[in-house]
Amino acid sequence: MDFTIDIASPAEQVFALIADLPNYSRWLSPSSLYGATTQVSDTPVTLGATYVDGKQATLHGCVTEFRPPFAIAFHQEARLLLSRLTIDIRYRLEPLGAHTRVYRTTTPRLSGVLALLQPMIVRPIRKENLRTLAMMKQYLEQEGCM
Protein backbone atom coordinates (compact mmCIF):
# COMPACT_ATOMS: atom_id res chain seq x y z
CA MET A 1 0.00 0.00 0.00
CA ASP A 2 1.49 3.29 -1.10
CA PHE A 3 0.40 6.71 0.15
CA THR A 4 1.64 10.22 -0.57
CA ILE A 5 0.91 13.56 1.06
CA ASP A 6 2.44 17.02 0.84
CA ILE A 7 3.04 18.79 4.14
CA ALA A 8 3.85 22.50 4.51
CA SER A 9 6.77 21.82 6.83
CA PRO A 10 10.50 21.19 6.27
CA ALA A 11 11.67 17.56 5.99
CA GLU A 12 13.65 17.88 9.23
CA GLN A 13 10.45 18.65 11.17
CA VAL A 14 8.49 15.88 9.48
CA PHE A 15 11.25 13.36 10.18
CA ALA A 16 11.55 14.52 13.81
CA LEU A 17 7.81 14.00 14.32
CA ILE A 18 7.84 10.48 12.82
CA ALA A 19 10.94 9.49 14.83
CA ASP A 20 9.55 10.85 18.12
CA LEU A 21 7.83 7.58 19.05
CA PRO A 22 7.37 8.35 22.76
CA ASN A 23 5.32 11.46 21.91
CA TYR A 24 2.94 10.21 19.23
CA SER A 25 0.06 11.02 21.59
CA ARG A 26 0.73 14.74 20.92
CA TRP A 27 -0.55 14.39 17.37
CA LEU A 28 -1.98 10.90 16.77
CA SER A 29 -5.19 10.24 18.66
CA PRO A 30 -6.27 6.66 19.40
CA SER A 31 -8.41 4.83 16.86
CA SER A 32 -9.87 1.37 16.46
CA LEU A 33 -6.41 0.05 15.43
CA TYR A 34 -4.02 2.40 17.21
CA GLY A 35 -3.95 2.89 20.97
CA ALA A 36 -0.50 4.20 21.86
CA THR A 37 3.21 3.70 21.26
CA THR A 38 4.88 2.53 24.47
CA GLN A 39 8.00 0.86 25.83
CA VAL A 40 10.33 2.78 23.50
CA SER A 41 13.83 1.44 24.14
CA ASP A 42 15.91 4.45 23.03
CA THR A 43 15.29 8.18 23.34
CA PRO A 44 16.06 9.77 21.04
CA VAL A 45 15.01 6.99 18.69
CA THR A 46 17.74 5.53 16.49
CA LEU A 47 18.28 2.52 14.26
CA GLY A 48 17.39 -0.65 16.16
CA ALA A 49 15.15 1.04 18.74
CA THR A 50 12.25 -1.14 19.82
CA TYR A 51 8.71 -0.27 20.92
CA VAL A 52 5.23 -1.68 21.46
CA ASP A 53 2.28 -0.45 19.39
CA GLY A 54 -1.30 -1.37 18.66
CA LYS A 55 -4.70 -1.76 20.20
CA GLN A 56 -6.53 -4.83 18.90
CA ALA A 57 -3.23 -6.69 18.59
CA THR A 58 0.01 -5.92 20.41
CA LEU A 59 2.66 -5.20 17.81
CA HIS A 60 6.31 -5.40 18.81
CA GLY A 61 8.23 -3.00 16.60
CA CYS A 62 11.76 -2.12 15.63
CA VAL A 63 13.28 0.78 13.69
CA THR A 64 14.86 -0.86 10.62
CA GLU A 65 16.03 2.24 8.71
CA PHE A 66 17.08 5.62 10.09
CA ARG A 67 18.43 8.22 7.65
CA PRO A 68 17.46 11.72 8.83
CA PRO A 69 15.79 13.61 7.28
CA PHE A 70 15.13 11.37 4.27
CA ALA A 71 13.94 7.91 5.38
CA ILE A 72 12.77 5.95 8.39
CA ALA A 73 11.28 2.46 8.48
CA PHE A 74 9.66 0.17 11.02
CA HIS A 75 9.00 -3.56 11.27
CA GLN A 76 6.12 -4.63 13.51
CA GLU A 77 5.00 -8.11 14.43
CA ALA A 78 2.15 -9.66 16.40
CA ARG A 79 1.99 -13.36 17.12
CA LEU A 80 -1.50 -14.57 17.77
CA LEU A 81 -2.93 -18.01 18.32
CA LEU A 82 -2.23 -19.94 15.08
CA SER A 83 -1.49 -16.68 13.25
CA ARG A 84 1.04 -13.95 12.72
CA LEU A 85 0.71 -10.38 11.49
CA THR A 86 3.75 -8.47 10.31
CA ILE A 87 3.68 -4.91 9.06
CA ASP A 88 6.55 -3.04 7.46
CA ILE A 89 6.18 0.73 7.25
CA ARG A 90 8.62 2.93 5.37
CA TYR A 91 8.60 6.69 5.08
CA ARG A 92 10.57 8.45 2.38
CA LEU A 93 10.71 12.24 2.64
CA GLU A 94 11.32 14.47 -0.35
CA PRO A 95 12.26 18.04 0.61
CA LEU A 96 10.52 20.64 -1.57
CA GLY A 97 11.79 23.88 -0.07
CA ALA A 98 9.60 24.72 2.92
CA HIS A 99 7.34 21.76 2.05
CA THR A 100 7.89 18.01 2.18
CA ARG A 101 6.39 15.25 0.08
CA VAL A 102 5.88 12.25 2.34
CA TYR A 103 5.76 8.78 0.80
CA ARG A 104 4.52 6.06 3.12
CA THR A 105 4.61 2.41 2.08
CA THR A 106 2.88 -0.12 4.31
CA THR A 107 3.25 -3.84 3.67
CA PRO A 108 1.06 -6.06 5.84
CA ARG A 109 1.62 -9.82 5.79
CA LEU A 110 -0.81 -12.24 7.38
CA SER A 111 -0.27 -15.92 7.99
CA GLY A 112 -2.24 -18.72 9.53
CA VAL A 113 -5.90 -18.11 10.34
CA LEU A 114 -5.46 -14.34 9.77
CA ALA A 115 -4.67 -14.96 6.09
CA LEU A 116 -8.26 -16.11 5.61
CA LEU A 117 -9.47 -12.74 6.90
CA GLN A 118 -7.09 -10.63 4.82
CA PRO A 119 -9.70 -8.43 3.05
CA MET A 120 -11.35 -7.59 6.38
CA ILE A 121 -7.98 -6.77 7.98
CA VAL A 122 -6.32 -4.88 5.12
CA ARG A 123 -9.21 -2.42 4.64
CA PRO A 124 -8.90 -0.90 8.16
CA ILE A 125 -5.09 -0.83 7.81
CA ARG A 126 -5.46 1.25 4.63
CA LYS A 127 -7.86 3.61 6.42
CA GLU A 128 -5.46 3.94 9.37
CA ASN A 129 -2.60 4.90 7.02
CA LEU A 130 -4.69 7.69 5.53
CA ARG A 131 -5.75 8.88 8.98
CA THR A 132 -2.16 8.89 10.26
CA LEU A 133 -0.91 11.00 7.35
CA ALA A 134 -3.84 13.43 7.64
CA MET A 135 -3.23 13.90 11.37
CA MET A 136 0.50 14.36 10.75
CA LYS A 137 -0.23 17.05 8.17
CA GLN A 138 -2.77 18.78 10.40
CA TYR A 139 -0.39 18.82 13.36
CA LEU A 140 2.67 20.02 11.46
CA GLU A 141 0.78 22.73 9.61
CA GLN A 142 -0.70 24.21 12.77
CA GLU A 143 1.00 27.40 13.78
CA GLY A 144 3.55 26.83 16.53
CA CYS A 145 3.05 23.06 16.68
CA MET A 146 6.66 22.18 17.41
Side-chain angles (χ1 to χ4, degrees), residues 9-20:
S9 188
E12 291 79 8
Q13 284 187 333
V14 177
F15 186 93
L17 188 74
I18 297 167
D20 190 12

Side-chain angles (χ1 to χ4, degrees), residues 1-19 24 27 69-74 89-106 129-138 140-141:
M1 291 183 259
D2 295 313
F3 307 90
T4 305
I5 194 166
D6 288 345
I7 299 177
S9 188
E12 291 79 8
Q13 284 187 333
V14 177
F15 186 93
L17 188 74
I18 297 167
Y24 271 31
W27 62 274
F70 302 108
I72 187 167
F74 308 94
I89 300 167
R90 183 174 191 268
Y91 288 94
R92 186 173 59 85
L93 308 180
E94 180 182 344
L96 302 170
H99 290 71
T100 303
R101 181 157 295 144
V102 178
Y103 300 92
R104 178 176 164 132
T105 300
T106 300
N129 277 272
L130 294 170
R131 183 186 84 90
T132 299
L133 289 175
M135 292 191 79
M136 181 185 300
K137 178 180 177 72
Q138 179 183 357
L140 286 167
E141 291 182 356

Side-chain angles (χ1 to χ4, degrees), residues 4-141:
T4 305
I5 194 166
D6 288 345
I7 299 177
S9 188
E12 291 79 8
Q13 284 187 333
V14 177
F15 186 93
L17 188 74
I18 297 167
D20 190 12
L21 296 175
N23 292 304
Y24 271 31
S25 62
R26 286 188 305 159
W27 62 274
L28 187 58
S29 61
S31 70
S32 61
L33 291 183
Y34 175 78
T37 302
T38 61
Q39 300 178 35
V40 180
S41 66
D42 302 322
T43 305
V45 170
T46 59
L47 183 65
T50 60
Y51 59 94
V52 175
D53 196 356
K55 189 170 187 176
Q56 293 181 4
T58 301
L59 295 159
H60 295 270
C62 179
V63 177
T64 56
E65 182 178 8
F66 191 85
R67 292 187 303 115
F70 302 108
I72 187 167
F74 308 94
H75 175 80
Q76 303 174 330
E77 187 171 314
R79 292 177 188 239
L80 310 166
L81 185 63
L82 304 174
S83 300
R84 184 166 62 176
L85 167 65
T86 60
I87 302 174
D88 289 303
I89 300 167
R90 183 174 191 268
Y91 288 94
R92 186 173 59 85
L93 308 180
E94 180 182 344
L96 302 170
H99 290 71
T100 303
R101 181 157 295 144
V102 178
Y103 300 92
R104 178 176 164 132
T105 300
T106 300
T107 308
R109 287 182 296 288
L110 301 98
S111 64
V113 176
L114 282 180
L116 302 172
L117 304 172
Q118 184 163 344
M120 293 181 351
I121 294 171
V122 170
R123 193 173 306 117
I125 291 172
R126 176 177 294 282
K127 185 177 175 183
E128 185 65 16
N129 277 272
L130 294 170
R131 183 186 84 90
T132 299
L133 289 175
M135 292 191 79
M136 181 185 300
K137 178 180 177 72
Q138 179 183 357
Y139 181 81
L140 286 167
E141 291 182 356

